[in-house]
Amino acid sequence: MTATLASEADLRAEIAKLKRRLEREKKSRVDAEGIAERGMRALYDKQRQLELLEKVAAAANESTSLNEAIRTTLVQVCEYTGWQVGNSFLAEMGSDQSYQLISTGTWHAVNKDHDYAYDLVTRWKTFDAGQGLPGRALSTKAPVWIVDVVSDNNFPRAELARKAGLKAAFAFPVMAGAHVAAVLEFFSDKAHPEDPVLLSLMGQIGTQLGRVVDRKRSQDQLVHNALHDSLTGLPNRALFLERLTSVIARKRRRPETKYGVLFMDLDHFKFVNDSLGHLAGDALIIGFGRRIADALRWKESDDGPGGSQFASTLARLGGDEFVILVEDIKHGGDVVAVADMIQQLLTQPFMIEGQELFASASVGVIADPAVDVNADDVLRNADLALYRAKALGKSQHALYDESMHQEAMKRLKLESELRLALRKNEFIVYYQPIVDLPDMEVVGFEALVRWNRNGEEIVGPAEFIEVAEDTGIILPLGLWVLETACRAFQGLAEEPGRQQQYVSVNLSARQFAQADLVIQIANIIKKTGLAPQRLRLEITESVAMVDADRARRVLEELRAIGVKLAIDDFGTGYSSLSCLQDYPLEILKIDRSFVNRMRQGDDGLQMVQTIINLARSLRMKVVAEGVESPDELALLKSMGCDLGQGYLFSKPVPENVMRQLAAAPRQEVEEASGNLWMTG
């Protein structure tokens, strides 16, 4: 009996043990299933989050604008959260440099039949930083959660939300770098405790949308850079031509459309760069552009002068060249009025590097062009008018007419012919004698270039030298003239009585500006074997005064190799007497216009006498140019003029005749003073 009871007790204990074991296993299985279920749910939630991020990323990459990406994001977030309303704002900087949120007009509501969403997202159009839900996201630059908007003390739309039955809300910023570009907000019809995971996810979405902003800003900057001048920020040639082309197309559709173009550049701008430096030149360019732009904005406003109102585009083409497109004008006089305004604006100085600097501009104007032109035609014609304005003396405007185009075509043809003439060796050198007036002996000659066009006619420099200077043809041509003249006078050294006669050669402004000018001249002297003291180089006053320090240095270097130096056409340009006194000059040439005026009265005589006295005080010899009559010769002799040159003695002649004149005795020279000695 006792054994039986013990056996039963053991059995019950074993059964209890088995039950406990089964309970543990059951609990473990339930726990494992719970863990698995939670893991699966976490995995599911993670998968949904990744899907949402992928959809937003795809929208961000494919969208052409931030609004388009926002529209897709509002739908995706509402679907993900099950919340009812999504809305958006863009951040804009106000005049006080603070940011404000402006409604984009882009929003999403799950139930389109209800008006609550429309009221909630449209009645408040703007939010300041810190104001309401979006304003808090703007100021904190972080996601914001409200459990119940109705009870929140910083939610101005609480009454609208209560009527709509909306409670929970969250917002997150779209970050572009360190700045908020936009804010998105969402609403639910239930109260929800703050969900840190969801807010973290929204922060990631805000970053993805921010990449859209960064990309769009980079694209906009690239486009802006491509169409605007880097120095002034003004439209460049490409943008100007684009707008001009658009206006021309409008005129073709509506012939009554009127517009005009002004092409302008600053007078003597190179002098500013050379004397004050490129930084000062850039400052002047910026100041000029800003002054014109400000004036055009005033002109376009209701308060503009003369009551004229129109649209305009100011562009910088490069260097000191600017253009203005004036649209929707009433008549051509409006364009001329703009040109007058520009001249008036330049009566006031610019403040450059702490000093006042006055500037002037030449302006070419084309008003109401024909219908059948293109943008390049208009710009070219305005440039032709600018060229005319500069030829008329600068600091003024010129109105385009068809004759300018004809002149331009003629000039282009001349340029082509000059280049061809240089290759075909059609240029020749003529020589005009320079006579010692007290002794009436030929002491030298001035070398003057001529063009033997096609071997049929001799063309004087007045017809081509300006084009040669402007185009740079003068550089190889000038060297050729110099070498030809030096070679001719080296030949004279072999003939008795001619060893002291010299040749005088002009240096153009473009030649004088070359950095290696002295080296070039020294090489020619060495190559031809001419004694350097028999070469005189002539420069004009304006060339000498452009950069006084450089001019002095170059002239001193030329003097050091033995060359003699002269100022040509004295009195026709601007001279600084202190500079002339410091320059190593030996000859001063009185321009023919002063010599010709001597017979017109005492003023003309006094001017020539003053120049002669000035030269004498500077220990320089004087050459009177353009001596054409015995009376002029007599007057010059009486005033003590040293040398004379002009048709009274001889016209410019070719080299073979020059050799004859070089040997002419004093008697022939004196006889020549009564009539034209040689006509060439």
PDB file of all heavy atoms in Angstrom, residues 89 119-120 123-128 130-136 146 149-162 185 187:
ATOM      1  N   PHE A  89       4.391  75.473 -48.133  1.00  0.00           N
ATOM      2  CA  PHE A  89       4.755  76.885 -48.168  1.00  0.00           C
ATOM      3  C   PHE A  89       6.186  77.006 -48.695  1.00  0.00           C
ATOM      4  O   PHE A  89       7.017  76.132 -48.480  1.00  0.00           O
ATOM      5  CB  PHE A  89       4.706  77.511 -46.767  1.00  0.00           C
ATOM      6  CG  PHE A  89       3.357  77.477 -46.114  1.00  0.00           C
ATOM      7  CD1 PHE A  89       2.950  76.355 -45.390  1.00  0.00           C
ATOM      8  CD2 PHE A  89       2.492  78.556 -46.223  1.00  0.00           C
ATOM      9  CE1 PHE A  89       1.710  76.319 -44.784  1.00  0.00           C
ATOM     10  CE2 PHE A  89       1.248  78.521 -45.610  1.00  0.00           C
ATOM     11  CZ  PHE A  89       0.850  77.401 -44.896  1.00  0.00           C
ATOM     12  N   ASP A 119     -10.530  75.388 -46.671  1.00  0.00           N
ATOM     13  CA  ASP A 119     -10.530  76.502 -45.722  1.00  0.00           C
ATOM     14  C   ASP A 119      -9.246  76.535 -44.895  1.00  0.00           C
ATOM     15  O   ASP A 119      -8.643  77.584 -44.681  1.00  0.00           O
ATOM     16  CB  ASP A 119     -11.735  76.387 -44.785  1.00  0.00           C
ATOM     17  CG  ASP A 119     -13.035  76.688 -45.503  1.00  0.00           C
ATOM     18  OD1 ASP A 119     -12.964  77.334 -46.568  1.00  0.00           O
ATOM     19  OD2 ASP A 119     -14.101  76.273 -45.025  1.00  0.00           O
ATOM     20  N   LEU A 120      -8.832  75.366 -44.438  1.00  0.00           N
ATOM     21  CA  LEU A 120      -7.688  75.300 -43.539  1.00  0.00           C
ATOM     22  C   LEU A 120      -6.395  75.761 -44.217  1.00  0.00           C
ATOM     23  O   LEU A 120      -5.591  76.471 -43.610  1.00  0.00           O
ATOM     24  CB  LEU A 120      -7.517  73.865 -43.026  1.00  0.00           C
ATOM     25  CG  LEU A 120      -6.417  73.665 -41.982  1.00  0.00           C
ATOM     26  CD1 LEU A 120      -6.821  74.301 -40.659  1.00  0.00           C
ATOM     27  CD2 LEU A 120      -6.123  72.181 -41.794  1.00  0.00           C
ATOM     28  N   ARG A 123      -6.934  79.989 -46.161  1.00  0.00           N
ATOM     29  CA  ARG A 123      -7.289  81.250 -45.496  1.00  0.00           C
ATOM     30  C   ARG A 123      -6.063  81.961 -44.936  1.00  0.00           C
ATOM     31  O   ARG A 123      -6.063  83.175 -44.803  1.00  0.00           O
ATOM     32  CB  ARG A 123      -8.306  80.990 -44.382  1.00  0.00           C
ATOM     33  CG  ARG A 123      -9.686  80.651 -44.913  1.00  0.00           C
ATOM     34  CD  ARG A 123     -10.745  80.844 -43.853  1.00  0.00           C
ATOM     35  NE  ARG A 123     -12.043  80.342 -44.292  1.00  0.00           N
ATOM     36  CZ  ARG A 123     -13.134  80.415 -43.537  1.00  0.00           C
ATOM     37  NH1 ARG A 123     -13.062  80.936 -42.326  1.00  0.00           N
ATOM     38  NH2 ARG A 123     -14.274  79.932 -43.988  1.00  0.00           N
ATOM     39  N   TRP A 124      -5.019  81.193 -44.601  1.00  0.00           N
ATOM     40  CA  TRP A 124      -3.772  81.778 -44.123  1.00  0.00           C
ATOM     41  C   TRP A 124      -2.726  81.613 -45.213  1.00  0.00           C
ATOM     42  O   TRP A 124      -2.271  80.516 -45.514  1.00  0.00           O
ATOM     43  CB  TRP A 124      -3.304  81.091 -42.826  1.00  0.00           C
ATOM     44  CG  TRP A 124      -4.078  81.557 -41.634  1.00  0.00           C
ATOM     45  CD1 TRP A 124      -5.341  81.219 -41.303  1.00  0.00           C
ATOM     46  CD2 TRP A 124      -3.627  82.462 -40.631  1.00  0.00           C
ATOM     47  NE1 TRP A 124      -5.736  81.838 -40.149  1.00  0.00           N
ATOM     48  CE2 TRP A 124      -4.689  82.621 -39.702  1.00  0.00           C
ATOM     49  CE3 TRP A 124      -2.446  83.155 -40.395  1.00  0.00           C
ATOM     50  CZ2 TRP A 124      -4.589  83.435 -38.588  1.00  0.00           C
ATOM     51  CZ3 TRP A 124      -2.352  83.959 -39.278  1.00  0.00           C
ATOM     52  CH2 TRP A 124      -3.421  84.097 -38.386  1.00  0.00           C
ATOM     53  N   LYS A 125      -2.358  82.723 -45.818  1.00  0.00           N
ATOM     54  CA  LYS A 125      -1.444  82.676 -46.954  1.00  0.00           C
ATOM     55  C   LYS A 125       0.023  82.795 -46.552  1.00  0.00           C
ATOM     56  O   LYS A 125       0.901  82.339 -47.270  1.00  0.00           O
ATOM     57  CB  LYS A 125      -1.770  83.813 -47.935  1.00  0.00           C
ATOM     58  CG  LYS A 125      -3.144  83.704 -48.574  1.00  0.00           C
ATOM     59  CD  LYS A 125      -3.190  82.547 -49.543  1.00  0.00           C
ATOM     60  CE  LYS A 125      -4.519  82.517 -50.285  1.00  0.00           C
ATOM     61  NZ  LYS A 125      -4.600  81.361 -51.215  1.00  0.00           N
ATOM     62  N   THR A 126       0.283  83.449 -45.421  1.00  0.00           N
ATOM     63  CA  THR A 126       1.676  83.689 -45.029  1.00  0.00           C
ATOM     64  C   THR A 126       1.863  83.398 -43.542  1.00  0.00           C
ATOM     65  O   THR A 126       0.919  83.511 -42.739  1.00  0.00           O
ATOM     66  CB  THR A 126       2.097  85.148 -45.296  1.00  0.00           C
ATOM     67  OG1 THR A 126       1.273  86.027 -44.518  1.00  0.00           O
ATOM     68  CG2 THR A 126       1.947  85.486 -46.774  1.00  0.00           C
ATOM     69  N   PHE A 127       3.092  83.039 -43.183  1.00  0.00           N
ATOM     70  CA  PHE A 127       3.469  82.827 -41.790  1.00  0.00           C
ATOM     71  C   PHE A 127       4.868  83.395 -41.570  1.00  0.00           C
ATOM     72  O   PHE A 127       5.784  83.147 -42.362  1.00  0.00           O
ATOM     73  CB  PHE A 127       3.472  81.337 -41.432  1.00  0.00           C
ATOM     74  CG  PHE A 127       2.105  80.746 -41.246  1.00  0.00           C
ATOM     75  CD1 PHE A 127       1.425  80.215 -42.331  1.00  0.00           C
ATOM     76  CD2 PHE A 127       1.505  80.739 -40.001  1.00  0.00           C
ATOM     77  CE1 PHE A 127       0.169  79.679 -42.180  1.00  0.00           C
ATOM     78  CE2 PHE A 127       0.234  80.197 -39.838  1.00  0.00           C
ATOM     79  CZ  PHE A 127      -0.438  79.670 -40.935  1.00  0.00           C
ATOM     80  N   ASP A 128       5.013  84.145 -40.496  1.00  0.00           N
ATOM     81  CA  ASP A 128       6.337  84.618 -40.111  1.00  0.00           C
ATOM     82  C   ASP A 128       7.062  83.525 -39.340  1.00  0.00           C
ATOM     83  O   ASP A 128       6.446  82.548 -38.879  1.00  0.00           O
ATOM     84  CB  ASP A 128       6.227  85.873 -39.238  1.00  0.00           C
ATOM     85  CG  ASP A 128       5.672  87.052 -40.020  1.00  0.00           C
ATOM     86  OD1 ASP A 128       5.960  87.134 -41.234  1.00  0.00           O
ATOM     87  OD2 ASP A 128       4.958  87.888 -39.422  1.00  0.00           O
ATOM     88  N   GLY A 130       8.370  81.380 -36.554  1.00  0.00           N
ATOM     89  CA  GLY A 130       7.856  81.146 -35.207  1.00  0.00           C
ATOM     90  C   GLY A 130       6.353  81.200 -35.104  1.00  0.00           C
ATOM     91  O   GLY A 130       5.788  80.848 -34.054  1.00  0.00           O
ATOM     92  N   GLN A 131       5.661  81.620 -36.144  1.00  0.00           N
ATOM     93  CA  GLN A 131       4.205  81.773 -36.089  1.00  0.00           C
ATOM     94  C   GLN A 131       3.527  80.494 -36.569  1.00  0.00           C
ATOM     95  O   GLN A 131       3.709  80.060 -37.700  1.00  0.00           O
ATOM     96  CB  GLN A 131       3.761  82.938 -36.968  1.00  0.00           C
ATOM     97  CG  GLN A 131       2.253  83.185 -36.933  1.00  0.00           C
ATOM     98  CD  GLN A 131       1.834  84.279 -37.901  1.00  0.00           C
ATOM     99  OE1 GLN A 131       2.541  84.555 -38.869  1.00  0.00           O
ATOM    100  NE2 GLN A 131       0.692  84.895 -37.645  1.00  0.00           N
ATOM    101  N   GLY A 132       2.692  79.914 -35.680  1.00  0.00           N
ATOM    102  CA  GLY A 132       1.935  78.736 -36.056  1.00  0.00           C
ATOM    103  C   GLY A 132       2.826  77.539 -36.322  1.00  0.00           C
ATOM    104  O   GLY A 132       4.043  77.548 -36.073  1.00  0.00           O
ATOM    105  N   LEU A 133       2.215  76.481 -36.825  1.00  0.00           N
ATOM    106  CA  LEU A 133       2.954  75.249 -37.081  1.00  0.00           C
ATOM    107  C   LEU A 133       4.054  75.442 -38.128  1.00  0.00           C
ATOM    108  O   LEU A 133       5.217  75.103 -37.865  1.00  0.00           O
ATOM    109  CB  LEU A 133       1.968  74.150 -37.517  1.00  0.00           C
ATOM    110  CG  LEU A 133       2.588  72.820 -37.954  1.00  0.00           C
ATOM    111  CD1 LEU A 133       3.354  72.186 -36.802  1.00  0.00           C
ATOM    112  CD2 LEU A 133       1.496  71.872 -38.462  1.00  0.00           C
ATOM    113  N   PRO A 134       3.763  75.977 -39.330  1.00  0.00           N
ATOM    114  CA  PRO A 134       4.844  76.126 -40.319  1.00  0.00           C
ATOM    115  C   PRO A 134       5.907  77.117 -39.878  1.00  0.00           C
ATOM    116  O   PRO A 134       7.089  76.936 -40.167  1.00  0.00           O
ATOM    117  CB  PRO A 134       4.113  76.601 -41.576  1.00  0.00           C
ATOM    118  CG  PRO A 134       2.835  77.176 -41.097  1.00  0.00           C
ATOM    119  CD  PRO A 134       2.458  76.415 -39.885  1.00  0.00           C
ATOM    120  N   GLY A 135       5.493  78.174 -39.162  1.00  0.00           N
ATOM    121  CA  GLY A 135       6.464  79.161 -38.696  1.00  0.00           C
ATOM    122  C   GLY A 135       7.440  78.578 -37.701  1.00  0.00           C
ATOM    123  O   GLY A 135       8.617  78.969 -37.668  1.00  0.00           O
ATOM    124  N   ARG A 136       6.994  77.607 -36.884  1.00  0.00           N
ATOM    125  CA  ARG A 136       7.893  76.959 -35.940  1.00  0.00           C
ATOM    126  C   ARG A 136       8.918  76.078 -36.676  1.00  0.00           C
ATOM    127  O   ARG A 136      10.088  76.028 -36.308  1.00  0.00           O
ATOM    128  CB  ARG A 136       7.090  76.124 -34.933  1.00  0.00           C
ATOM    129  CG  ARG A 136       6.553  76.958 -33.772  1.00  0.00           C
ATOM    130  CD  ARG A 136       5.871  76.092 -32.739  1.00  0.00           C
ATOM    131  NE  ARG A 136       4.445  75.947 -33.050  1.00  0.00           N
ATOM    132  CZ  ARG A 136       3.594  75.230 -32.314  1.00  0.00           C
ATOM    133  NH1 ARG A 136       4.033  74.595 -31.240  1.00  0.00           N
ATOM    134  NH2 ARG A 136       2.325  75.153 -32.644  1.00  0.00           N
ATOM    135  N   ILE A 146       2.366  68.484 -33.243  1.00  0.00           N
ATOM    136  CA  ILE A 146       1.324  68.979 -32.338  1.00  0.00           C
ATOM    137  C   ILE A 146       0.331  67.843 -32.123  1.00  0.00           C
ATOM    138  O   ILE A 146      -0.248  67.319 -33.091  1.00  0.00           O
ATOM    139  CB  ILE A 146       0.607  70.210 -32.927  1.00  0.00           C
ATOM    140  CG1 ILE A 146       1.599  71.354 -33.154  1.00  0.00           C
ATOM    141  CG2 ILE A 146      -0.519  70.661 -32.005  1.00  0.00           C
ATOM    142  CD1 ILE A 146       0.976  72.588 -33.780  1.00  0.00           C
ATOM    143  N   VAL A 149      -4.145  70.261 -32.301  1.00  0.00           N
ATOM    144  CA  VAL A 149      -3.991  71.658 -32.705  1.00  0.00           C
ATOM    145  C   VAL A 149      -5.034  72.559 -32.053  1.00  0.00           C
ATOM    146  O   VAL A 149      -4.800  73.757 -31.854  1.00  0.00           O
ATOM    147  CB  VAL A 149      -4.081  71.792 -34.241  1.00  0.00           C
ATOM    148  CG1 VAL A 149      -2.916  71.078 -34.908  1.00  0.00           C
ATOM    149  CG2 VAL A 149      -5.400  71.250 -34.779  1.00  0.00           C
ATOM    150  N   VAL A 150      -6.188  71.995 -31.712  1.00  0.00           N
ATOM    151  CA  VAL A 150      -7.263  72.814 -31.135  1.00  0.00           C
ATOM    152  C   VAL A 150      -6.843  73.385 -29.789  1.00  0.00           C
ATOM    153  O   VAL A 150      -7.184  74.521 -29.436  1.00  0.00           O
ATOM    154  CB  VAL A 150      -8.561  71.999 -31.012  1.00  0.00           C
ATOM    155  CG1 VAL A 150      -9.648  72.811 -30.305  1.00  0.00           C
ATOM    156  CG2 VAL A 150      -9.029  71.544 -32.386  1.00  0.00           C
ATOM    157  N   SER A 151      -6.057  72.624 -29.051  1.00  0.00           N
ATOM    158  CA  SER A 151      -5.648  73.076 -27.714  1.00  0.00           C
ATOM    159  C   SER A 151      -4.267  73.724 -27.719  1.00  0.00           C
ATOM    160  O   SER A 151      -3.779  74.117 -26.658  1.00  0.00           O
ATOM    161  CB  SER A 151      -5.657  71.888 -26.741  1.00  0.00           C
ATOM    162  OG  SER A 151      -4.772  70.873 -27.191  1.00  0.00           O
ATOM    163  N   ASP A 152      -3.642  73.819 -28.881  1.00  0.00           N
ATOM    164  CA  ASP A 152      -2.297  74.413 -28.951  1.00  0.00           C
ATOM    165  C   ASP A 152      -2.416  75.934 -28.920  1.00  0.00           C
ATOM    166  O   ASP A 152      -3.255  76.524 -29.619  1.00  0.00           O
ATOM    167  CB  ASP A 152      -1.591  73.967 -30.239  1.00  0.00           C
ATOM    168  CG  ASP A 152      -0.127  74.336 -30.246  1.00  0.00           C
ATOM    169  OD1 ASP A 152       0.193  75.457 -30.682  1.00  0.00           O
ATOM    170  OD2 ASP A 152       0.695  73.503 -29.829  1.00  0.00           O
ATOM    171  N   ASN A 153      -1.585  76.586 -28.112  1.00  0.00           N
ATOM    172  CA  ASN A 153      -1.688  78.046 -27.959  1.00  0.00           C
ATOM    173  C   ASN A 153      -0.928  78.820 -29.043  1.00  0.00           C
ATOM    174  O   ASN A 153      -0.890  80.034 -29.014  1.00  0.00           O
ATOM    175  CB  ASN A 153      -1.198  78.479 -26.572  1.00  0.00           C
ATOM    176  CG  ASN A 153       0.234  78.053 -26.314  1.00  0.00           C
ATOM    177  OD1 ASN A 153       0.923  77.571 -27.208  1.00  0.00           O
ATOM    178  ND2 ASN A 153       0.671  78.205 -25.063  1.00  0.00           N
ATOM    179  N   ASN A 154      -0.286  78.138 -29.968  1.00  0.00           N
ATOM    180  CA  ASN A 154       0.394  78.810 -31.085  1.00  0.00           C
ATOM    181  C   ASN A 154      -0.045  78.145 -32.386  1.00  0.00           C
ATOM    182  O   ASN A 154       0.765  77.659 -33.176  1.00  0.00           O
ATOM    183  CB  ASN A 154       1.913  78.731 -30.919  1.00  0.00           C
ATOM    184  CG  ASN A 154       2.652  79.548 -31.993  1.00  0.00           C
ATOM    185  OD1 ASN A 154       2.040  80.296 -32.748  1.00  0.00           O
ATOM    186  ND2 ASN A 154       3.970  79.381 -32.062  1.00  0.00           N
ATOM    187  N   PHE A 155      -1.357  78.138 -32.592  1.00  0.00           N
ATOM    188  CA  PHE A 155      -1.910  77.595 -33.827  1.00  0.00           C
ATOM    189  C   PHE A 155      -3.070  78.502 -34.249  1.00  0.00           C
ATOM    190  O   PHE A 155      -4.217  78.316 -33.837  1.00  0.00           O
ATOM    191  CB  PHE A 155      -2.398  76.156 -33.639  1.00  0.00           C
ATOM    192  CG  PHE A 155      -2.732  75.471 -34.949  1.00  0.00           C
ATOM    193  CD1 PHE A 155      -1.728  74.889 -35.701  1.00  0.00           C
ATOM    194  CD2 PHE A 155      -4.026  75.435 -35.423  1.00  0.00           C
ATOM    195  CE1 PHE A 155      -2.023  74.272 -36.904  1.00  0.00           C
ATOM    196  CE2 PHE A 155      -4.330  74.834 -36.628  1.00  0.00           C
ATOM    197  CZ  PHE A 155      -3.323  74.237 -37.372  1.00  0.00           C
ATOM    198  N   PRO A 156      -2.783  79.546 -35.035  1.00  0.00           N
ATOM    199  CA  PRO A 156      -3.807  80.544 -35.384  1.00  0.00           C
ATOM    200  C   PRO A 156      -5.028  79.970 -36.102  1.00  0.00           C
ATOM    201  O   PRO A 156      -6.100  80.580 -36.076  1.00  0.00           O
ATOM    202  CB  PRO A 156      -3.043  81.513 -36.303  1.00  0.00           C
ATOM    203  CG  PRO A 156      -1.596  81.309 -35.982  1.00  0.00           C
ATOM    204  CD  PRO A 156      -1.475  79.880 -35.603  1.00  0.00           C
ATOM    205  N   ARG A 157      -4.906  78.802 -36.696  1.00  0.00           N
ATOM    206  CA  ARG A 157      -6.030  78.213 -37.442  1.00  0.00           C
ATOM    207  C   ARG A 157      -6.813  77.201 -36.601  1.00  0.00           C
ATOM    208  O   ARG A 157      -7.483  76.307 -37.150  1.00  0.00           O
ATOM    209  CB  ARG A 157      -5.491  77.528 -38.700  1.00  0.00           C
ATOM    210  CG  ARG A 157      -4.842  78.470 -39.697  1.00  0.00           C
ATOM    211  CD  ARG A 157      -4.102  77.716 -40.790  1.00  0.00           C
ATOM    212  NE  ARG A 157      -2.890  77.071 -40.289  1.00  0.00           N
ATOM    213  CZ  ARG A 157      -2.123  76.227 -40.991  1.00  0.00           C
ATOM    214  NH1 ARG A 157      -2.463  75.942 -42.238  1.00  0.00           N
ATOM    215  NH2 ARG A 157      -1.046  75.697 -40.466  1.00  0.00           N
ATOM    216  N   ALA A 158      -6.713  77.336 -35.291  1.00  0.00           N
ATOM    217  CA  ALA A 158      -7.345  76.352 -34.404  1.00  0.00           C
ATOM    218  C   ALA A 158      -8.840  76.239 -34.649  1.00  0.00           C
ATOM    219  O   ALA A 158      -9.398  75.130 -34.674  1.00  0.00           O
ATOM    220  CB  ALA A 158      -7.070  76.723 -32.944  1.00  0.00           C
ATOM    221  N   GLU A 159      -9.556  77.341 -34.840  1.00  0.00           N
ATOM    222  CA  GLU A 159     -11.005  77.303 -35.037  1.00  0.00           C
ATOM    223  C   GLU A 159     -11.355  76.600 -36.341  1.00  0.00           C
ATOM    224  O   GLU A 159     -12.314  75.812 -36.404  1.00  0.00           O
ATOM    225  CB  GLU A 159     -11.573  78.721 -35.026  1.00  0.00           C
ATOM    226  CG  GLU A 159     -13.093  78.805 -35.161  1.00  0.00           C
ATOM    227  CD  GLU A 159     -13.830  78.070 -34.047  1.00  0.00           C
ATOM    228  OE1 GLU A 159     -13.240  77.862 -32.965  1.00  0.00           O
ATOM    229  OE2 GLU A 159     -15.000  77.688 -34.261  1.00  0.00           O
ATOM    230  N   LEU A 160     -10.577  76.863 -37.392  1.00  0.00           N
ATOM    231  CA  LEU A 160     -10.806  76.176 -38.666  1.00  0.00           C
ATOM    232  C   LEU A 160     -10.572  74.676 -38.516  1.00  0.00           C
ATOM    233  O   LEU A 160     -11.327  73.852 -39.058  1.00  0.00           O
ATOM    234  CB  LEU A 160      -9.879  76.743 -39.746  1.00  0.00           C
ATOM    235  CG  LEU A 160     -10.137  78.179 -40.194  1.00  0.00           C
ATOM    236  CD1 LEU A 160      -9.016  78.656 -41.121  1.00  0.00           C
ATOM    237  CD2 LEU A 160     -11.480  78.293 -40.904  1.00  0.00           C
ATOM    238  N   ALA A 161      -9.524  74.304 -37.749  1.00  0.00           N
ATOM    239  CA  ALA A 161      -9.233  72.884 -37.533  1.00  0.00           C
ATOM    240  C   ALA A 161     -10.338  72.221 -36.723  1.00  0.00           C
ATOM    241  O   ALA A 161     -10.723  71.065 -36.982  1.00  0.00           O
ATOM    242  CB  ALA A 161      -7.891  72.739 -36.829  1.00  0.00           C
ATOM    243  N   ARG A 162     -10.858  72.931 -35.720  1.00  0.00           N
ATOM    244  CA  ARG A 162     -11.936  72.354 -34.890  1.00  0.00           C
ATOM    245  C   ARG A 162     -13.167  72.081 -35.741  1.00  0.00           C
ATOM    246  O   ARG A 162     -13.774  71.014 -35.653  1.00  0.00           O
ATOM    247  CB  ARG A 162     -12.272  73.307 -33.747  1.00  0.00           C
ATOM    248  CG  ARG A 162     -13.281  72.743 -32.747  1.00  0.00           C
ATOM    249  CD  ARG A 162     -13.719  73.809 -31.763  1.00  0.00           C
ATOM    250  NE  ARG A 162     -14.444  74.883 -32.443  1.00  0.00           N
ATOM    251  CZ  ARG A 162     -15.722  74.771 -32.856  1.00  0.00           C
ATOM    252  NH1 ARG A 162     -16.402  73.652 -32.656  1.00  0.00           N
ATOM    253  NH2 ARG A 162     -16.308  75.793 -33.440  1.00  0.00           N
ATOM    254  N   GLU A 185       3.286  70.655 -44.237  1.00  0.00           N
ATOM    255  CA  GLU A 185       2.531  70.351 -43.019  1.00  0.00           C
ATOM    256  C   GLU A 185       1.440  69.335 -43.346  1.00  0.00           C
ATOM    257  O   GLU A 185       0.928  69.286 -44.472  1.00  0.00           O
ATOM    258  CB  GLU A 185       1.925  71.617 -42.427  1.00  0.00           C
ATOM    259  CG  GLU A 185       0.914  72.302 -43.315  1.00  0.00           C
ATOM    260  CD  GLU A 185       0.259  73.516 -42.674  1.00  0.00           C
ATOM    261  OE1 GLU A 185       0.633  73.867 -41.546  1.00  0.00           O
ATOM    262  OE2 GLU A 185      -0.648  74.095 -43.304  1.00  0.00           O
ATOM    263  N   PHE A 187      -2.125  67.008 -41.529  1.00  0.00           N
ATOM    264  CA  PHE A 187      -3.154  67.007 -40.481  1.00  0.00           C
ATOM    265  C   PHE A 187      -3.886  65.664 -40.467  1.00  0.00           C
ATOM    266  O   PHE A 187      -4.135  65.064 -41.525  1.00  0.00           O
ATOM    267  CB  PHE A 187      -4.168  68.125 -40.716  1.00  0.00           C
ATOM    268  CG  PHE A 187      -3.566  69.507 -40.692  1.00  0.00           C
ATOM    269  CD1 PHE A 187      -3.112  70.098 -41.854  1.00  0.00           C
ATOM    270  CD2 PHE A 187      -3.442  70.202 -39.498  1.00  0.00           C
ATOM    271  CE1 PHE A 187      -2.555  71.360 -41.843  1.00  0.00           C
ATOM    272  CE2 PHE A 187      -2.889  71.466 -39.471  1.00  0.00           C
ATOM    273  CZ  PHE A 187      -2.439  72.054 -40.646  1.00  0.00           C
TER     274      PHE A 187
END
